[in-house]
């Protein structure tokens, strides 16, 4: 469990129940829609690699960061501090970014790199709103600039984790 005194004001007023339900429902809906689309339009091995592997990669990135006290989530239910809806949303966002990237570039590395940039830009629009709503909060452990309460290293993490996740379908 992280020490909530190290987080900024969003931690003192976590997300209200109705807003939390909307976040979780939208993340679950995004997961189901993208998984359904992938199952209908992509080979099953690639779909399984991206979605199942994406959940594993997301957990491997989120759980240690939460344990280190870098941030805390207020959505439920959780597995070792990581909301299940976040684990489902990760591969869904990566899938959309991979499919969009594959329309403009060819090859596993260019697609993964482009998908990483696209997903990180998409996150840049969602992240400040989620912090403001109290869905999660960032600690002040790592210095550096923040944009609307979101630290610089969040974008760096998105670039790396999306890049790795986007390469999973090429491994099968």
């Amino acid at each position: 469990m992280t020490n909530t005194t190290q987080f900024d004001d969003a931690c003192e007023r976590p997300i209200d129940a109705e807003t939390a339900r909307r976040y979780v429902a939208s993340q679950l809906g995004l997961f189901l829609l993208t998984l359904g689309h992938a199952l209908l339009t992509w080979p099953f091995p690639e779909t399984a690699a991206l979605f199942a592997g994406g959940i594993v990669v997301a957990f491997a990135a989120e759980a240690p960061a939460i344990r280190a006290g870098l941030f805390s989530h207020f959505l439920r239910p959780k597995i070792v501090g990581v909301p299940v809806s976040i684990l489902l949303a990760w591969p869904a966002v990566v899938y959309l970014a991979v499919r969009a990237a594959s329309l403009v570039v060819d090859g596993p590395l260019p697609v993964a790199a482009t998908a990483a940039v696209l997903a990180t830009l998409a996150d840049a629009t969602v992240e400040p709103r989620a912090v403001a709503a109290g869905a999660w909060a960032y600690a002040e452990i790592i210095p550096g600039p923040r944009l609307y309460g979101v630290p610089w290293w969040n974008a760096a993490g998105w670039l790396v984790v999306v890049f790795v996740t986007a390469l999973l379908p090429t491994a099968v």
Side-chain angles (χ1 to χ4, degrees):
M1 190 87 176
T2 56
N3 179 0
T4 56
T5 59
Q6 61 188 322
F7 295 99
D8 44 19
D9 293 339
C11 193
E12 295 175 15
R13 45 183 171 65
I15 194 165
D16 66 88
E18 180 57 33
T19 304
R21 278 191 291 277
R22 282 196 320 266
Y23 268 87
V24 170
S26 66
Q27 291 166 336
L28 179 59
L30 179 65
F31 174 79
L32 292 173
L33 286 171
T34 56
L35 178 60
H37 185 271
L39 288 170
L40 292 171
T41 63
W42 239 17
F44 181 77
E46 285 87 342
T47 299
L50 184 91
F51 282 85
I55 289 169
V56 171
V57 170
F59 184 80
E62 293 264 337
I66 290 168
R67 188 160 182 81
L70 296 176
F71 57 88
S72 184
H73 285 286
F74 301 107
L75 301 176
R76 291 185 171 34
K78 296 180 186 183
I79 300 171
V80 192
V82 183
V84 172
S85 62
I86 295 292
L87 294 175
L88 298 176
W90 262 103
V93 170
V94 175
Y95 173 75
L96 292 171
V98 164
R99 294 304 293 258
S102 67
L103 294 173
V104 293
V105 295
D106 288 321
L109 293 177
V111 167
T114 304
V117 171
L118 291 173
T120 301
L121 289 172
D123 178 66
T125 66
V126 173
E127 204 70 39
R129 290 183 183 125
V131 169
W136 48 86
Y138 291 96
E140 298 284 344
I141 294 172
I142 299 175
R146 289 175 178 247
L147 184 61
Y148 301 108
V150 181
W152 66 270
W153 49 264
N154 179 67
W158 267 82
L159 286 167
V160 171
V161 176
V162 172
F163 182 79
V164 169
T165 305
L167 287 174
L168 292 175
T170 66
V172 294

